[in-house]
Amino acid sequence: MNLPNTITLFRFVLIPVYLWAFYGTESEHKVGALFVLLVAGFTDILDGWLARRNGQETQMGQLLDPLADKLMLLSVLFSLLQSGRVPWLVAGLLLFRDAAMIVGSAFFYIQGKRAVPKANRWGKTTTVVYYVTICAVMLQWPSSDAAEELLWVTVVLSYITTLLYVASMRLIDVRRRVL
């Protein structure tokens, strides 16, 4: 087990910590939960950077890293939905997309298609927008209307990114068959 994978596993531990901070505080703004989420985001950046820099990219890391991200973001969405901070339609679209990504990745892995497209600018941009949007929603800043607009931008961007990801998977599959 290398350091980047250990950091990724730590993100799984942060999921119940986030939920405890979200539901265990009376504060309307949930600053503690937001802090845990930002630590998770930082560790996501850190583990990828360390893996690339030290040549420690592994199959396990390629599978666990996006799973940890998706499970954290699903937990955040469920908590925000349950607390009435996110509309059902927005949450449903984002939850469906993330759940489909988890199931799709598992399906491809089981089918032996273990090549995973590298994170691209679209994916990284979507992740940043996701985090900014969640911060705006949790802090209710600059306003709840602006936060809802950001939510819709996040939905559209996440689906564009998903389509690009699926296209990348198809390209990898085509290249594999040709070679």
Side-chain angles (χ1 to χ4, degrees), residues 10 14 18 21 23 28 35 57 67 115 128 134 148 151 171:
F10 176 67
L14 288 176
Y18 164 81
Y23 290 110
E28 180 179 322
F35 177 75
E57 295 174 284
L67 181 61
V128 169
I134 289 169
E148 187 165 340
L151 281 166
L171 270 173

Side-chain angles (χ1 to χ4, degrees), residues 59 63 100-117 162 165-173 176-177:
Q59 189 71 37
L63 293 171
M101 292 288 286
I102 291 170
V103 170
S105 294
F107 174 77
F108 285 121
Y109 184 78
I110 290 168
Q111 296 297 315
K113 299 174 183 177
R114 290 180 168 80
V116 178
T162 301
Y165 177 81
V166 169
S168 296
M169 287 296 291
R170 289 189 56 121
L171 270 173
I172 288 171
D173 195 39
R176 182 179 291 142
R177 279 190 255 147

Side-chain angles (χ1 to χ4, degrees), residues 86-99:
V86 173
W88 277 96
L89 182 58
V90 169
L93 289 169
L94 290 172
L95 292 170
F96 174 77
R97 181 254 184 190
D98 285 349

Side-chain angles (χ1 to χ4, degrees), residues 130-151:
Y130 223 123
Y131 274 90
V132 168
T133 301
I134 289 169
C135 290
V137 168
M138 289 181 90
L139 297 174
Q140 297 173 340
W141 182 84
S143 69
S144 59
D145 289 339
E148 187 165 340
E149 288 175 15
L150 267 174
L151 281 166

Side-chain angles (χ1 to χ4, degrees), residues 14-178:
L14 288 176
I15 294 168
V17 173
Y18 164 81
L19 292 169
W20 174 82
F22 187 88
Y23 290 110
T25 60
E26 298 297 320
S27 170
E28 180 179 322
H29 293 299
K30 309 295 186 184
V31 175
L34 181 58
F35 177 75
V36 173
L37 178 64
L38 293 176
V39 168
F42 173 74
T43 62
D44 183 25
I45 294 166
L46 180 63
D47 66 9
W49 179 78
L50 285 172
R52 285 185 300 278
R53 189 190 90 180
N54 298 330
Q56 295 180 319
E57 295 174 284
T58 65
Q59 189 71 37
M60 184 171 115
Q62 289 178 347
L63 293 171
L64 290 180
D65 183 70
L67 181 61
D69 297 341
K70 298 292 178 242
L71 290 177
M72 174 59 90
L73 290 174
L74 286 172
S75 298
V76 170
L77 276 172
F78 275 119
S79 66
L80 294 175
L81 177 63
Q82 186 274 330
S83 68
R85 294 169 187 253
V86 173
W88 277 96
L89 182 58
V90 169
L93 289 169
L94 290 172
L95 292 170
F96 174 77
R97 181 254 184 190
D98 285 349
M101 292 288 286
I102 291 170
V103 170
S105 294
F107 174 77
F108 285 121
Y109 184 78
I110 290 168
Q111 296 297 315
K113 299 174 183 177
R114 290 180 168 80
V116 178
K118 299 283 186 197
N120 60 30
R121 290 179 196 253
W122 282 97
K124 291 177 182 183
T125 301
T126 300
T127 301
V128 169
V129 170
Y130 223 123
Y131 274 90
V132 168
T133 301
I134 289 169
C135 290
V137 168
M138 289 181 90
L139 297 174
Q140 297 173 340
W141 182 84
S143 69
S144 59
D145 289 339
E148 187 165 340
E149 288 175 15
L150 267 174
L151 281 166
W152 283 108
V153 168
T154 303
V155 167
V156 170
L157 190 56
S158 71
Y159 275 86
I160 289 170
T161 302
T162 301
L163 291 173
L164 293 171
Y165 177 81
V166 169
S168 296
M169 287 296 291
R170 289 189 56 121
L171 270 173
I172 288 171
D173 195 39
V174 167
R175 285 183 191 151
R176 182 179 291 142
R177 279 190 255 147
V178 170

